Amino acid sequence: MADPQRIPEDINSAMSETMVKKLQTEDVMVSGLSAFGPPGGADDPFPLRWAEVIPLHFISTLNTTSVVVLSHPSRRYNHSVAMVPELLRLGKYLYKELEASKERVVVVVSADLAHTHSADGPYGFSPAAQPFDQACGEWASTLDPTPLLVNATSLVDEALSCGYTGLVMLHAILSTSSTWRPTLLVNHHPSYYGMMVASFFPSVAM
């Protein structure tokens, strides 16, 4: 196993707490998590996993950027379809709070796709894997909701994607605001699981 990599990440605990409180006033089901003691009260290194580390690794200005980490509950593994309505609601209110912030904000979402591309992988092979990834790629290149909220939703239970719920939330964030310019950069599965890279910039300066 490779040695752990330390990422110079400044967790914005004040913004995290404020966002949790505001979302709770909108009856959005969220909870605040603190690694060690009260929020903002410790500077001990905290372990992150691939879904956080890989996107953060490619942010060149991370040493001058503060971060809010938002995690979805573990029931996303078995109940992601049932979570769709609340994820759409969460994304809608996240956009409202982020748009009102005085900070310049970038939303980064893990896009791990189907984990069932290979019979030799830990989750085996499923014929749902390729069409699931294709549906997510079609959404990311067009922002048409049907590929994500209909096609991918019908396949996710077999495709086994831990990134699906984040994409649904992101769709709600984007669809709540003005027109965006989507660009699909990568949609590939070099091993047993698919990975996607896409960008979404506002069509006009915000």
Side-chain angles (χ1 to χ4, degrees):
M1 181 178 293
D3 293 334
Q5 299 294 309
R6 184 170 183 130
I7 294 179
E9 182 178 331
D10 175 23
I11 299 293
N12 192 331
S13 57
M15 185 175 184
S16 300
E17 288 184 89
T18 298
M19 188 172 297
V20 167
K21 291 176 182 177
K22 288 185 175 181
L23 289 172
Q24 287 176 338
T25 63
E26 302 285 357
D27 291 327
V28 178
M29 293 192 298
V30 295
S31 298
L33 297 176
S34 177
F36 304 104
D43 57 3
D44 305 76
F46 185 72
L48 299 175
R49 300 290 290 193
W50 302 288
E52 299 90 11
V53 170
I54 292 176
L56 291 172
H57 175 77
F58 289 99
I59 299 178
S60 59
T61 58
L62 189 62
N63 60 339
T64 59
T65 302
S66 63
V67 176
V68 172
V69 177
L70 189 152
S71 179
H72 290 171
S74 58
R75 60 191 171 92
R76 72 185 187 275
Y77 293 117
N78 303 109
H79 304 284
S80 56
V81 173
M83 291 174 63
V84 167
E86 65 186 277
L87 291 166
L88 294 174
R89 191 164 186 267
L90 171 62
K92 174 184 175 181
Y93 284 104
L94 272 176
Y95 174 79
K96 175 183 175 182
E97 298 303 330
L98 295 175
E99 180 68 7
S101 173
K102 296 179 180 179
E103 304 286 343
R104 185 181 183 188
V105 177
V106 174
V107 177
V108 181
V109 175
S110 172
D112 278 7
L113 301 181
H115 280 49
T116 51
H117 281 281
S118 173
D120 297 329
Y123 306 101
F125 171 78
S126 171
Q130 188 62 30
F132 175 85
D133 285 11
Q134 288 175 343
C136 291
E138 183 179 351
W139 165 79
S141 60
T142 65
L143 290 181
D144 177 359
T146 299
L148 182 68
L149 300 182
V150 178
N151 302 346
T153 298
S154 70
L155 297 165
V156 67
D157 286 343
E158 297 295 327
L160 303 182
S161 167
C162 58
Y164 169 75
T165 56
L167 299 180
V168 174
M169 181 191 73
L170 179 61
H171 174 76
I173 293 174
L174 297 173
S175 63
T176 303
S177 60
S178 58
T179 304
W180 296 83
R181 188 174 72 253
T183 303
L184 176 63
L185 302 169
V186 175
N187 188 358
H188 191 48
H189 59 277
S191 64
Y192 67 89
Y193 65 98
M195 295 180 284
M196 183 172 71
V197 180
S199 65
F200 307 93
F201 288 96
S203 296
V204 294
M206 297 179 68

